[in-house]
Amino acid sequence: MALAVLLKLALCLLCSCAELVTVALLRGVALLVVAVVQLLRLPGQAGAAALEATRGALDAAVELAVGVARDVVSAVVSAFLDFLWSVVTGAAELAASAVTELLEAARDGGEEAAKLLEAALEGAAEAAAATVAKLWESYVEALGIVVDNLN
């Protein structure tokens, strides 16, 4: 009987040791599997973060490009309006001087007034043609600047 109890105790000790080793091995394998899963998950998270950073950079670049384009268009329109104003004031001054000369010539004589009227009309036609040509050149130049800045 003592031998049977001793044998049961030895078998129980052997089974407990085997169970302890098995639990330790299985727990180690489980921890190893968890570590591998974590390692495989990290590149995906890093990729997602890189994509998010790229998206933010692209959004900032688009916002900057739109701001620059808006500023360029604003500057071109402002320059065009300034130029147009100077053309209008120049034409008004030219017309005023022509009218003044015509009035003076009308006092002096009709024939001289007709010559001055003809010269004034030719000058006004040349001024109008020059104004239209300059406006067209300014438009083409401004359009080229806008296209260059957008690219």
Side-chain angles (χ1 to χ4, degrees):
M1 179 81 97
L3 185 60
V5 171
L6 194 56
L7 187 60
K8 274 187 176 181
L9 187 62
L11 285 176
C12 188
L13 186 62
L14 181 66
C15 285
S16 293
C17 286
E19 183 183 357
L20 196 64
V21 168
T22 304
V23 167
L25 284 175
L26 289 176
R27 188 161 291 207
V29 167
L31 289 175
L32 186 61
V33 167
V34 168
V36 167
V37 167
Q38 291 290 339
L39 284 176
L40 292 176
R41 191 176 67 162
L42 286 177
Q45 289 176 341
L51 287 175
E52 187 66 30
T54 303
R55 181 174 156 238
L58 287 176
D59 287 344
V62 166
E63 185 177 325
L64 178 67
V66 167
V68 167
R70 184 182 59 233
D71 291 344
V72 166
V73 168
S74 162
V76 166
V77 167
S78 175
F80 177 72
L81 291 176
D82 287 343
F83 174 73
L84 194 60
W85 180 252
S86 69
V87 166
V88 167
T89 56
E93 289 172 1
L94 179 65
S97 69
V99 167
T100 304
E101 285 184 25
L102 284 174
L103 289 176
E104 288 175 5
R107 280 187 245 160
D108 295 340
E111 185 177 306
E112 193 175 317
K115 288 180 183 177
L116 282 176
L117 180 61
E118 182 183 336
L121 288 177
E122 286 178 11
E126 289 176 10
T131 300
V132 168
K134 187 65 176 174
L135 283 173
W136 181 255
E137 288 175 12
S138 295
Y139 170 75
V140 169
E141 182 181 333
L143 189 60
I145 289 171
V146 168
V147 169
D148 287 345
N149 284 332
L150 289 178
N151 291 333

